[in-house]
């Protein structure tokens, strides 16, 4: 499998604190890669660096052979690398449908003026976005809630809507930051199936997650961070047996790798 | 040159005290209090009444200004700002509410005290003249009092229980709540304290420049500028902002006097550029 | 739910009333002063519409006076100094204001909350001081005795007569202002109903998320701010013609605050909020003139009362779920 995205010697310092320290790995086309590690290990920072919300101190991120670090975040999203946020992030005052519709924008072929004037091309765009929105909402089980105000959704649906917004951009790589946080066991298992479904739609997925059973179930490969450094990389079964990983998790109080 | 420096320090001390009250309210409740200048004017009129009309001692008048404004602040917070903050979804509501309160105060001040500027008898006579600097004794006293009040305020915020609670609140509202800080009570307390400071400066300055019902808006604008220069919501920033603006004005009034309006244009334009580049001011926390 | 069609019908009725009934009765009653008030309200609501658009992207704009002032001076200078037609000067004034907005907006629109508000507040002051200082604006004396708008003629047919030849130019100005207002709000309505409006609201809600969805937020913000300032400039331009003068104090910080209050009172969630807000606030103010000394007091008290009772504005009284929203 060819790598679609490569992280090379990535380092991010925050006034003295090294949040991500010389991390390198690559993401293969069509896989689900999990990034795990104790709280404060630098996972969210890593995602922000990849999606170019942060500029790396040193190192770089390449996507389909092109360097994307240092570009504007919206430009990176247009290339096909899109992240969702750790905190369930949505457009609260818009309806569920409008949340997804508006996230289609980067796919539009008409310009802004075209949308204002309602040109043929703009109308074609709108029709296509509406169709795609219905499709995504159906896929994520949000169809019945399409007209609800997004801010009023319960936690589980919020996460799904976050993923729906991500899918609307038609990404090649989707970065999910703790997609199962705040879900109970059943919800998590359903969400795991959803994420697998996302991958089956041809999207390469990278996710940060604390729920170890879910991680073991869902991921093809795992990268482990601790204090900003990559301490291990491998298949779920390799990671479960890795001594450095076990030590890291035993060293921290509030985490357990569940093995 | 020394004269300019002294004038700047004198102005800066007053300004810092005004800015402190504004920044406190902002830090605690995220409210930009458009009525701050009007609170200052109200404080001035209270001292004018107590000291100038009733001929009670000046310190009594100052206390009266402080207490009445603290009361007004507490009432405003409880009956206007708190309900609006609780119910409205958008943070612009409090800003507009503050603007409307400023209108209301302007109206009340105009009705009760009229349009005429008012002055009071001097609190101290005589002038200090060292050869290089000339400064009246009453100004020295007022500046010294301002410095004392600033120091007192900072000590209060640092060492007292309410001070610590308010600092926790300013830092992180939810965390403070979890730590058991009574959010409503200390928001109310902080608003009252901010208003008290405005009233105190108003009272102090009556002794020097008198008081005029129309200047509330201009004072508010100045206070905003100081707070933004220093960094919104930061105590040190308010003091720094006050001193910077005091100095700028002292310099502007003497050195650049000949150039008239251009001076202010330059000051404001550079301020705009400064704020665009450094929105958190000289020492504000990172934001957004 | 109030449908598009109902909104359009309502707006059409409003337009017809403003274009026929109102002028008919005011002229009949010989109340030129009311005509003037309506003219002013129309212009102020155009400027308020601009402020409303910056509200739509989640920015509190206390600087609209700066752009109204710029528009007023640009039109006055073009007409009085360079002999440009007043009619041409309206869009030029708007465009000039929009260009300034782009230059200023690129850096300052990165700011949010009070930080943005403060810079815009300062910008009103910068505009006033510039008008005082620049030679071309004639300082504190301002530009006075501006010529009346000239005629518009196409192919020998006079579409609009020379205002100087009119018996009652007040009514002509009334029509100019009202028609401009009607067009403005129709266009803003269309804008907010289109994908652009949806994008604006997305920005207001969450800029980070919009950006991660590939939306070029910097560009959109500047577009919104430029439209806003364009409207400020247009209002200022017509105002200078109506009053045949423009001074550094023609639009002040107080006006900037009033524009915000107009939007808020009408309802920030409603495109037509600024019209309603401006009408009510301005007329309320004029009616309260009877109250003499108590005018400001009553006005402020009512304003505060409305904020407490109707935090979402007057239009939220209309029983519609999503209706006129956006
Ligand atoms: N913007 C920031 N400024 C300063 N420090 C930060 C910033 N963002 C994250 N950090 C620090 O970097 C470290 C890694 O944070 P993060 O990437 O959020 O960890 P994780 O997502 O693995 O829990 C933490 O110590 C955190 O406090
Ligand atoms: Mg994290």
């Amino acid at each position: 499998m060819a790598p679609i995205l490569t992280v090379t010697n990535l380092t991010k310092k925050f006034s003295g604190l090294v949040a991500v320290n010389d991390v390198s790995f690559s993401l293969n086309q069509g896989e689900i890669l999990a990034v795990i590690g104790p709280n404060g290990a630098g996972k969210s920072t890593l995602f922000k660096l990849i999606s170019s919300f942060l500029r790396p101190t040193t190192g770089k991120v390449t996507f389909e052979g092109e360097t994307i670090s240092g570009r504007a975040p919206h430009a990176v999203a247009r290339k096909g690398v899109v992240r969702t946020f750790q905190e369930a992030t949505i457009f609260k005052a818009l309806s569920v449908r409008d949340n997804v519709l508006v996230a289609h924008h980067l796919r539009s072929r008409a310009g802004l003026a075209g949308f204002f004037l309602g040109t043929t091309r703009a109308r074609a765009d709108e029709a296509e976005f509406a169709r795609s929105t219905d499709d995504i909402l159906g896929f994520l089980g949000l169809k019945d809630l399409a007209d609800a105000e997004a801010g009023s959704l319960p936690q589980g649906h919020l996460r799904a809507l976050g993923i729906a917004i991500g899918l609307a951009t038609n990404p090649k790589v989707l970065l999910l930051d703790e997609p199962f946080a705040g879900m109970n066991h059943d919800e998590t298992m359903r969400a795991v199936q959803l994420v697998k479904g996302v991958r089956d739609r041809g999207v390469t997925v990278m996710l940060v997650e604390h729920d170890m059973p879910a991680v073991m179930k869902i991921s093809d490969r795992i990268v482990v961070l601790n204090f900003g450094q990559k301490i291990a990389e491998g298949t779920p079964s390799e990671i479960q047996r890795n001594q450095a990983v076990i030590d890291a998790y035993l060293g921290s109080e509030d985490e357990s790798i569940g093995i | 040159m020394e004269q300019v420096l002294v004038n700047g320090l004198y102005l800066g001390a007053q300004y810092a005290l005004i800015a402190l009250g504004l920044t406190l309210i902002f830090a605690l409740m995220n409210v930009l209090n458009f009525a701050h200048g009007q609170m200052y004017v109200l404080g001035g009129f209270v001292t004018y009444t107590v000291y100038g009309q009733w001929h009670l001692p000046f310190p009594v008048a100052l206390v009266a200004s402080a207490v009445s404004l603290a009361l007004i602040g507490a009432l405003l917070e409880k009956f206007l700002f708190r309900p609006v903050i609780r119910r409205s979804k958008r943070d612009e509501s409090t800003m507009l509410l503050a603007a409307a309160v400023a209108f209301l105060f302007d109206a009340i001040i105009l009705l009760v005290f009229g349009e005429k500027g008012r002055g009071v008898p001097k609190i101290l006579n005589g002038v200090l003249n060292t050869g290089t600097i000339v400064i009246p004794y009453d100004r020295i006293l007022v500046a010294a009092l301002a410095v004392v009040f600033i120091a007192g305020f900072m000590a209060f915020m640092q060492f007292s229980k309410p001070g610590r609670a308010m600092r926790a609140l300013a830092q992180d509202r939810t965390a403070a709540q979890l730590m058991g800080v009574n959010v409503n009570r200390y928001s109310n307390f902080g608003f009252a304290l901010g208003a008290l400071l405005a009233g105190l400066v108003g009272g102090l300055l009556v002794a020097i420049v008198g008081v005029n019902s129309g200047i509330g808006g201009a004072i508010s604008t100045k206070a905003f500028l100081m707070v933004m220069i220093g960094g919104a919501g930061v105590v040190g920033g308010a003091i720094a902002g006050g001193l910077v603006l005091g100095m700028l004005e002292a310099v502007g009034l003497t050195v650049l006097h000949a150039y008239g309006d251009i001076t202010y244009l330059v000051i404001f334009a550079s301020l705009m550029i400064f704020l665009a580049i450094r929105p958190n001011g000289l020492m504000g926390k990172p934001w957004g | 739910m109030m449908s598009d069609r109902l909104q359009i019908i309502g707006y059409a009725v409003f337009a017809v009333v403003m274009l026929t009934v109102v002028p008919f009765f005011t002229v009949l009653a010989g109340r030129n002063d009311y005509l003037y008030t309506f003219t002013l309200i129309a212009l102020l609501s155009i400027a308020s519409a601009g402020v409303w658009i910056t509200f739509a992207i989640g920015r509190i704009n206390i600087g609209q006076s700066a752009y109204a002032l710029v528009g007023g001076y640009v039109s006055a200078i073009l007409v009085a100094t360079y002999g440009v037609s007043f009619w041409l000067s309206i869009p030029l004034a708007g465009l000039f204001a929009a260009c300034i907005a782009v230059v200023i907006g690129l850096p300052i629109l990165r700011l949010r909350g009070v930080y943005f508000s403060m810079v815009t507040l300062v910008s009103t002051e910068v505009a006033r001081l510039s008008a005082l200082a620049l030679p071309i604006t004639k300082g504190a004396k301002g530009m006075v005795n501006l010529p009346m708008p000239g005629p518009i003629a196409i192919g020998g047919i006079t579409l609009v007569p020379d205002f100087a030849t009119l018996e009652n130019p007040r009514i002509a100005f009334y029509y100019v202002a009202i028609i401009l207002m009607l067009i403005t709000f129709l266009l803003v309505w269309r804008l907010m109903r289109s994908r652009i409006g949806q994008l604006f609201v997305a920005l207001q809600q969450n800029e980070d998320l919009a950006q991660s969805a590939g939306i070029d937020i910097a560009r959109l913000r500047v577009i919104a701010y430029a439209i806003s300032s364009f409207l400020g400039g247009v209002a200022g331009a017509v105002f200078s013609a109506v009053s045949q003068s423009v001074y550094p104090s023609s639009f002040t910080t107080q006006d900037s605050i009033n524009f915000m209050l107009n939007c808020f009172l009408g309802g920030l969630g409603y495109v037509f909020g600024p019209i309603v807000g401006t009408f009510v606030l301005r007329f309320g103010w004029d009616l309260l003139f009877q109250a003499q000394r108590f005018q400001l007091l009553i006005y402020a008290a009512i304003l505060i009362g409305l904020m407490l009772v109707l935090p979402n504005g007057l239009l939220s009284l209309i029983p519609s779920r999503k209706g006129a929203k956006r």
Side-chain angles (χ1 to χ4, degrees):
Chain A
M1 277 191 293
I4 182 169
L5 184 142
T6 311
V7 171
T8 318
N9 304 116
L10 207 57
T11 298
K12 178 70 189 177
K13 292 185 183 152
F14 291 117
S15 54
L17 178 108
V18 188
V20 171
N21 192 353
D22 198 25
V23 170
S24 304
F25 65 90
S26 46
L27 179 67
N28 295 323
Q29 172 81 52
E31 73 175 342
I32 299 181
L33 176 83
V35 177
I36 64 171
N39 263 331
K43 306 178 298 288
S44 292
T45 305
L46 176 67
F47 271 24
K48 285 178 202 163
L49 289 168
I50 295 175
S51 56
S52 209
F53 268 70
L54 288 173
R55 217 171 253 275
T57 310
T58 55
K60 64 173 179 176
V61 180
T62 51
F63 173 67
E64 293 183 331
E66 225 181 310
T67 303
I68 53 171
S69 36
R71 298 224 185 165
H74 75 267
V76 170
R78 279 170 193 228
K79 288 233 161 284
V81 180
V82 173
R83 78 156 169 149
T84 67
F85 291 75
Q86 176 169 350
E87 310 76 26
T89 313
I90 48 155
F91 302 114
K92 283 203 189 86
L94 293 179
S95 72
V96 168
R97 176 180 282 114
D98 283 353
N99 264 270
V100 182
L101 268 177
V102 81
H104 277 84
H105 184 66
L106 80 178
R107 292 159 69 170
S108 51
R109 283 161 302 142
L112 286 178
F115 284 109
F116 179 70
L117 299 170
T119 57
T120 328
R121 184 179 287 181
R123 276 190 310 231
D125 275 348
E126 295 287 9
E128 188 202 318
F129 296 167
R131 217 172 315 127
S132 158
T133 297
D134 281 345
D135 170 44
I136 292 171
L137 290 178
F139 169 65
L140 291 171
L142 291 169
K143 202 152 206 169
D144 296 338
L145 295 165
D147 291 318
E149 195 178 87
S152 67
L153 293 186
Q155 188 68 18
H157 287 308
L158 279 182
R159 299 267 163 198
L161 182 54
I163 296 174
I165 292 173
L167 283 181
T169 62
N170 206 8
K172 292 179 182 157
V173 173
L174 190 59
L175 309 171
L176 304 171
D177 200 345
E178 306 203 6
F180 312 139
M183 292 188 184
N184 63 29
H185 178 78
D186 288 349
E187 286 171 334
T188 305
M189 286 307 125
R190 235 175 295 135
V192 164
Q193 289 313 315
L194 277 184
V195 173
K196 286 193 165 165
V198 169
R199 188 258 305 273
D200 295 341
R201 288 166 78 107
V203 181
T204 306
V205 177
M206 196 166 141
L207 56 89
V208 164
E209 192 41 64
H210 282 298
D211 186 326
M212 283 310 143
V215 167
M216 295 302 156
K217 207 172 179 124
I218 199 173
S219 41
D220 300 315
R221 284 190 313 132
I222 297 177
V223 165
V224 188
L225 292 187
N226 194 23
F227 293 115
Q229 280 173 315
K230 185 177 90 171
I231 58 169
E233 178 178 351
T235 62
S237 56
E238 283 166 6
I239 294 299
Q240 269 170 323
R241 279 179 275 116
N242 187 308
Q243 195 55 44
V245 176
I246 295 169
D247 290 347
Y249 273 88
L250 287 179
S252 76
E253 300 147 30
D254 54 353
E255 306 279 339
S256 111
I257 195 162
I259 41 178
Chain B
M1 189 61 226
E2 288 90 342
Q3 182 68 45
V4 175
L5 212 65
V6 167
N7 288 348
L9 281 176
Y10 159 75
L11 275 176
Q14 321 297 328
Y15 284 175
L17 204 51
I18 300 179
L20 271 180
L22 187 67
T23 219
L24 176 68
I25 293 175
F26 176 71
L28 289 182
M29 334 208 12
N30 210 11
V31 169
L32 194 59
N33 184 14
F34 269 91
H36 207 68
Q38 279 77 5
M39 290 178 166
Y40 162 99
V41 175
L42 275 175
F45 274 114
V46 171
T47 291
Y48 162 78
T49 309
V50 174
Y51 172 67
Q53 302 289 102
W54 302 347
H55 306 295
L56 292 172
F58 185 64
V60 175
L62 274 189
V63 171
S65 284
V67 170
S68 41
L69 264 293
L71 198 66
I72 291 174
L75 292 175
L76 275 184
E77 195 277 338
K78 186 162 163 55
F79 292 109
L80 292 183
F81 284 92
R82 195 185 302 172
V84 167
I85 289 174
R86 199 180 50 231
R87 279 187 315 166
S88 86
K89 288 183 210 145
R90 306 179 62 146
D91 28 330
E92 37 277 58
S93 333
T94 56
M95 198 186 268
L96 291 158
L97 175 63
V101 169
F103 276 151
L104 184 74
F105 282 178
D106 267 334
I108 293 174
I109 291 166
L110 208 59
L111 273 178
V112 178
F113 299 102
E115 278 176 36
K116 225 170 57 186
R118 310 290 173 118
V120 296
K122 270 189 166 312
I123 48 172
L124 278 181
N125 286 311
V127 173
L128 176 73
N129 190 339
T130 67
T132 46
I133 48 174
V134 180
I135 179 164
Y137 284 123
D138 56 356
R139 294 199 177 211
I140 300 179
L141 179 65
V142 163
L145 280 176
V147 172
V148 169
F149 291 143
I150 292 172
F153 171 79
M154 290 177 73
F156 180 77
M157 290 302 282
Q158 203 63 38
F159 302 117
S160 75
K161 181 167 173 275
R164 279 197 300 269
M166 284 190 286
R167 277 189 297 137
L169 209 59
Q171 203 137 62
D172 187 337
R173 224 178 157 75
T174 353
Q177 198 155 21
L178 291 175
M179 277 159 49
V181 173
N182 185 335
V183 170
N184 278 343
R185 175 143 142 232
Y186 286 108
S187 299
N188 191 258
F189 191 90
F191 209 106
L193 187 56
L196 180 150
L197 289 176
L200 206 52
V201 200
L204 271 180
L205 283 190
V206 169
I208 311 289
V209 294
V211 57
N212 189 322
S213 53
I215 54 172
I219 298 278
S220 291
T221 310
K222 270 191 186 170
F224 293 162
L225 293 181
M226 296 181 256
V227 163
M228 300 310 291
I229 294 174
V234 187
V235 168
I239 295 172
L243 285 175
V244 168
L245 194 69
M247 284 294 169
L248 279 178
E249 274 194 19
V251 172
L253 285 176
T254 48
V255 183
L256 300 170
H257 188 64
Y259 301 97
D261 300 320
I262 305 260
T263 317
Y264 280 98
L265 180 57
V266 170
I267 291 181
F268 276 100
S270 15
L271 206 65
M272 216 168 126
I273 295 169
F274 172 74
L275 289 178
I277 297 170
R278 259 195 90 93
N280 42 338
L282 293 173
M283 43 183 74
K285 293 172 279 192
W287 51 281
Chain C
M1 180 160 156
M2 192 157 149
S3 69
D4 276 12
R5 181 169 335 147
L6 263 176
Q7 283 189 52
I8 288 292
I9 292 173
Y11 194 66
V13 170
F14 171 71
V16 170
V17 169
M18 291 313 290
L19 292 174
T20 58
V21 181
V22 171
F24 179 77
F25 281 106
T26 38
V27 170
L28 199 68
R31 295 300 297 259
N32 262 344
D33 54 332
Y34 280 162
L35 275 185
Y36 180 70
T37 303
F38 274 118
T39 308
L40 215 55
I41 287 176
L43 296 179
L44 295 176
S45 66
I46 292 171
S48 302
V51 176
W52 188 90
I53 289 175
T54 31
F55 270 124
I57 61 163
R59 293 293 190 285
I60 307 171
N61 179 356
I62 328 181
Q64 186 71 324
S65 283
Y67 295 101
L69 212 51
V70 166
Y73 274 107
V74 168
S75 168
I77 290 167
L78 285 177
V79 173
T81 314
Y82 297 104
V84 176
S85 156
F86 163 71
W87 306 107
L88 186 60
S89 85
I90 299 177
L92 289 179
L95 283 176
F96 192 85
C99 288
I100 293 183
V102 170
V103 174
I104 294 180
L106 278 173
I108 73 169
L109 282 161
R110 290 179 300 128
L111 313 182
R112 299 179 199 181
V114 290
Y115 299 90
F116 179 80
S117 305
M118 287 313 304
V119 180
T120 56
L121 184 68
V122 177
S123 74
T124 305
E125 204 54 13
V126 170
R128 185 181 71 85
L129 291 166
S130 304
L132 275 173
L134 293 176
I136 195 168
T137 51
K138 308 223 161 83
K141 290 192 307 277
M143 305 194 54
V144 292
N145 294 327
L146 298 175
M148 284 278 187
I152 303 179
I154 295 175
I157 305 163
T158 309
L159 296 176
V160 177
D162 187 343
F163 277 32
T165 64
L166 292 177
E167 204 176 301
N168 183 0
R170 284 259 176 266
I171 186 126
F173 276 123
Y174 171 86
Y175 275 113
V176 171
I178 293 290
I179 290 171
L180 270 180
M181 175 185 80
L182 291 172
I183 295 173
T184 298
F185 279 88
L186 209 57
L187 291 180
V188 175
W189 182 78
R190 169 68 206 157
L191 183 81
M192 294 309 288
R193 298 282 307 156
S194 78
R195 172 155 280 270
I196 303 170
Q198 207 175 37
L199 290 168
F200 283 176
V201 178
L203 286 196
Q204 176 215 105
Q205 294 278 304
N206 195 328
E207 291 192 357
D208 281 346
L209 180 60
Q211 198 168 23
S212 85
I215 295 168
D216 188 348
I217 59 172
R219 176 158 167 262
L220 270 172
R221 285 188 309 221
V222 167
I223 289 174
Y225 191 54
I227 296 174
S228 160
S229 306
F230 180 89
L231 294 178
V234 166
V238 181
F239 178 83
S240 73
V242 171
S243 54
Q244 287 186 273
S245 62
V246 53
Y247 303 94
S249 57
S250 288
F251 293 96
T252 61
T253 307
Q254 194 54 57
D255 295 303
S256 287
I257 293 175
N258 285 338
F259 294 141
M260 293 198 306
L261 287 172
N262 294 340
C263 297
F264 187 78
L265 189 74
L268 293 180
Y270 308 90
V271 169
F272 300 116
I275 295 192
V276 175
T278 312
F279 265 78
V280 170
L281 276 186
R282 187 72 209 191
F283 256 112
W285 176 251
D286 283 359
L287 283 179
L288 284 173
F289 184 70
Q290 322 275 343
Q292 307 256 337
R293 306 192 302 128
F294 298 100
Q295 187 181 23
L296 183 60
L297 184 74
I298 300 174
Y299 179 79
I302 293 177
L303 214 54
I304 292 174
L306 281 174
M307 284 181 186
L308 289 175
V309 183
L310 289 176
N312 295 319
L314 288 168
L315 283 178
S316 66
L317 282 173
I318 298 174
S320 63
R321 274 187 298 123
K322 288 171 80 178
K325 249 189 189 172
R326 283 217 339 260

